[in-house]
Amino acid sequence: MNQQVYNWQIGRKMSYPHAEAHPEWQFAFCFNLNRCIGCQTCTMACKSTWTFSKGQEQMWWNNVETKPYGGYPQFWDVKVLQLLEEANPGAQKWARKGEEFTFEGKTIFEAAEKRVGLEPERVLGYLPTDEEWRFPNIYEDTAVSRKGKPMTFDPEGTKLPEHKTRFFYLARICNHCTYPGCLAACPRNAIYKRHEDGIVLIDQERCRGYRKCVAACPYKKVMYRPTTHISEKCIACYPRIEGNDPATKGMPIQTRCMTACIGQIRLQGLVRINKDGSWAEDRYNPLYYLIRVAKVALPLYPQFGTEPNGYYIPPRWVPRGYLRQMFGPGLDEALEKYRVPDRELLAVLQLYQRTKEIIVRYEIKEGKKVYETVIHGKPFTLYNDTIVGYNKEGKEIVRTQVEEPFYVRPDKHQNSI
Amino acid sequence: MPKDEYDPEDPLEWVGVEVPVESDENLHEMALTFAEEFLRGGFSEDELLAMFKNPFYVGPHLVWRKKNEAYVRAVIEEAKGMWMPMRTMSGGEEE
């Protein structure tokens, strides 16, 4: 029997197979897609840390896919959207009341309730085929070496049928959802959400590899391992989140994929959660600010209903209709805000990848006016503010400025860590 | 056919796909986004132009190839006009 739970991303209560139970802190992240260059450094950082063993060859807990046609597994999002449309034809819509939006369609949990019969499901989903998992490069924008010269770059670039489309790179990991589809679907209760940080894990002792979670996760971030016959997923580098890395002396540190990002598109942290599941007011937590105050970062496919804790600053140049379906109705306001950032937003954006440690609070110290200008038709004043980030203990861990000095690393330090 | 020669009939072959909604407006916005982001990150005009010319940076290079160098220079100028105006107030008044 399903329960009623509140999902703030869709602005209403919804049906879910378990009662509400919320963590003290929630793992969350915010990716700026305007900066991603699709280098796959995050993908390899994850792969070389967690999924390098036999049976994990096709397992990419972190992947970066070239939208609109790329996907891992192939067409995962289009397939889930199609299933929902078939379950609720023409009614997967958002309604606006003042500043608030409500999703009036059906989530993957609600759509599944309509499916009765011999094989009822708790969550609407599908099991990708082996082929859909096995060819992650199809439709992707990926560099190759020249024929006969492995391990070299082709100085002329790729020679392929013309890739005429505009595209963008969508970096993805498990969203460690508030209402995970995988957890809801597991017949063994082998999947759990940790009280201390909201990370969603599979108990490898309890899992028997039924793959209900693989079918249920709308983001397709649970993967089956054929050598062990059980499923695995992103663990949010939990030893780092727990502060077990000696470098930080007990303080939480961001995941491998976040800290490896050379494009500085990623900011990961922890947000405080109230007992009722709402976000505790934490005005100077950078994630709280970006997601709940500035509202420039949006959840990926909020209409699925899992309340994902991964958020994205959408790419500016992509057709709006496509992005509205992907990031929900707050899109236009988010993009306008990002195109002409205000003083505080510009400062907070400087915190991206300035430190490996998790910033739980920031402080802005006002600086000098540098210039006045017009950005996309709107008056804009640049101030050289200083932004300071603090860790969980209140200790300063980063200090930077809006007008940051630019240093070129000397050649002698090339490839040094 | 040798396995590593391109076969347009092979369903598993790697292909580029055209999207019907592609427009000059989207292309301009994409180019401008790259220029604005990298200028704010500290790139000089020359470094930015070199990025657009470099085929390894497929997104920016697509703009350079579909248009021309003059178009890319104009985009960079537009971004500079917004984010790097004459710094008459540099080191100026206290807030």
Side-chain angles (χ1 to χ4, degrees):
Chain A
M1 183 69 185
N2 276 3
Q3 311 283 324
Q4 287 293 305
V5 297
Y6 186 76
N7 180 333
W8 73 267
Q9 292 176 356
I10 61 171
R12 65 172 172 85
K13 285 196 166 187
M14 64 168 201
S15 178
Y16 186 69
H18 297 281
E20 293 210 32
H22 298 285
E24 199 175 337
W25 290 81
Q26 175 62 55
F27 172 93
F29 57 85
C30 182
F31 292 174
N32 184 353
L33 297 182
N34 293 280
R35 290 184 178 179
C36 183
I37 57 170
C39 66
Q40 306 283 3
T41 307
C42 50
T43 305
M44 293 314 299
C46 176
K47 188 81 182 154
S48 60
T49 308
W50 300 113
T51 60
F52 51 80
S53 300
K54 196 171 181 183
Q56 295 178 309
E57 292 84 355
Q58 308 300 335
M59 197 180 279
W60 302 89
W61 291 352
N62 180 108
N63 76 294
V64 184
E65 53 202 49
T66 311
K67 287 300 182 195
Y69 289 123
Y72 169 75
Q74 284 171 35
F75 309 121
W76 62 273
D77 49 353
V78 179
K79 290 195 166 193
V80 176
L81 290 167
Q82 186 177 356
L83 284 172
L84 283 167
E85 185 61 31
E86 285 167 1
N88 191 27
Q92 293 293 93
K93 291 178 178 167
W94 293 85
R96 181 169 198 156
K97 287 176 193 159
E99 292 292 301
E100 304 300 318
F101 294 99
T102 307
F103 181 59
E104 295 184 329
K106 290 197 181 296
T107 67
I108 54 172
F109 308 109
E110 293 161 342
E113 290 176 323
K114 284 179 68 179
R115 285 195 166 188
V116 290
L118 289 176
E119 291 186 15
E121 292 173 334
R122 292 179 192 167
V123 187
L124 184 73
Y126 75 99
L127 203 57
T129 64
D130 285 353
E131 285 71 23
E132 287 165 353
W133 288 113
R134 280 175 61 200
F135 303 101
N137 275 353
I138 289 185
Y139 296 120
E140 301 292 344
D141 171 36
T142 307
V144 294
S145 59
R146 176 148 281 205
K147 188 182 171 187
K149 293 185 178 177
M151 304 303 287
T152 59
F153 287 115
D154 184 341
E156 293 167 21
T158 53
K159 298 277 184 188
L160 283 168
E162 184 79 311
H163 200 74
K164 286 178 182 168
T165 179
R166 50 86 196 142
F167 50 76
F168 68 98
Y169 304 113
L170 181 67
R172 299 201 303 122
I173 64 171
C174 167
N175 290 300
H176 297 278
C177 303
T178 302
Y179 304 112
C182 59
L183 186 153
C186 180
R188 294 270 300 159
N189 286 334
I191 301 181
Y192 61 104
K193 190 168 175 65
R194 304 204 316 177
H195 177 70
E196 58 267 42
D197 48 27
I199 291 172
V200 177
L201 296 175
I202 301 175
D203 183 335
Q204 300 283 286
E205 300 290 323
R206 282 196 66 78
C207 178
R208 285 189 180 169
Y210 297 144
R211 284 182 275 184
K212 293 288 183 188
C213 52
V214 181
C217 173
Y219 304 98
K220 296 293 167 246
K221 279 296 175 191
V222 186
M223 293 141 203
Y224 179 70
R225 184 168 175 179
T227 50
T228 58
H229 307 289
I230 54 176
S231 298
E232 298 180 6
K233 66 178 286 299
C234 158
I235 59 170
C237 292
Y238 70 78
R240 292 166 72 94
I241 305 296
E242 289 171 357
N244 289 335
D245 189 308
T248 57
K249 295 180 178 146
M251 284 297 100
I253 186 171
Q254 296 186 49
T255 65
R256 286 280 290 127
C257 58
M258 310 289 170
T259 53
C261 176
I262 64 165
Q264 301 182 343
I265 82 153
R266 293 174 174 232
L267 186 69
Q268 179 243 308
L270 295 161
V271 291
R272 285 196 187 91
I273 302 294
N274 289 322
K275 282 188 176 163
D276 65 359
S278 59
W279 286 31
E281 168 90 32
D282 197 0
R283 178 64 180 74
Y284 294 101
N285 179 316
L287 290 177
Y288 186 91
Y289 169 75
L290 290 166
I291 297 158
R292 304 308 294 268
V293 180
K295 298 180 181 174
V296 290
L298 304 168
L300 181 65
Y301 292 116
Q303 66 268 44
F304 290 170
T306 62
E307 203 181 294
N309 288 299
Y311 295 84
Y312 294 86
I313 300 177
R316 286 170 29 187
W317 62 89
V318 178
R320 295 288 172 99
Y322 185 85
L323 292 181
R324 277 188 211 107
Q325 183 180 44
M326 184 171 266
F327 297 111
L331 178 94
D332 296 280
E333 284 90 341
L335 281 180
E336 287 316 305
K337 182 109 185 174
Y338 182 73
R339 282 181 102 217
V340 191
D342 64 22
R343 187 170 178 174
E344 185 170 5
L345 177 57
L346 201 59
V348 174
L349 288 171
Q350 291 294 315
L351 290 176
Y352 273 72
Q353 285 315 303
R354 289 298 188 277
T355 173
K356 288 182 180 179
E357 276 193 62
I358 287 177
I359 302 166
V360 298
R361 183 171 68 83
Y362 68 86
E363 181 183 9
I364 294 174
K365 296 180 186 297
E366 292 189 348
K368 292 176 181 176
K369 182 190 281 186
V370 185
Y371 58 72
E372 290 173 354
T373 183
V374 174
I375 307 276
H376 297 290
K378 291 183 182 169
F380 175 91
T381 306
L382 186 84
Y383 297 92
N384 192 17
D385 293 336
T386 298
I387 183 159
V388 187
Y390 301 91
N391 68 9
K392 239 176 169 176
E393 281 184 340
K395 186 183 160 200
E396 179 179 325
I397 49 175
V398 61
R399 177 178 289 254
T400 188
Q401 290 176 296
V402 170
E403 285 276 275
E404 196 187 23
F406 191 70
Y407 299 106
V408 177
R409 202 177 195 198
D411 284 348
K412 66 178 179 180
H413 298 306
Q414 286 272 343
N415 295 325
S416 61
I417 296 172
Chain B
M1 177 180 280
K3 68 173 175 56
D4 50 358
E5 278 185 24
Y6 177 69
D7 174 9
E9 300 302 315
D10 182 351
L12 296 181
E13 191 55 83
W14 190 35
V15 290
V17 184
E18 191 169 2
V19 173
V21 293
E22 179 187 359
S23 69
D24 265 11
E25 193 187 340
N26 291 138
L27 194 77
H28 178 262
E29 185 68 9
M30 182 170 82
L32 194 57
T33 305
F34 292 142
E36 285 184 58
E37 292 287 342
F38 281 85
L39 270 179
R40 282 161 56 184
F43 266 47
S44 69
E45 192 178 349
D46 288 343
E47 286 168 326
L48 207 48
L49 187 64
M51 183 179 76
F52 276 93
K53 283 183 175 179
N54 189 333
F56 289 124
Y57 298 107
V58 182
H61 187 63
L62 174 79
V63 180
W64 186 81
R65 212 175 50 203
K66 285 192 80 168
K67 296 293 183 178
N68 52 44
E69 188 166 323
Y71 180 90
V72 171
R73 281 186 186 277
V75 166
I76 295 171
E77 278 305 311
E78 189 180 345
K80 272 182 69 185
M82 288 191 282
W83 290 99
M84 302 182 77
M86 291 297 289
R87 300 195 173 208
T88 50
M89 293 181 183
S90 186
E93 63 203 68
E94 289 284 347
E95 248 302 275

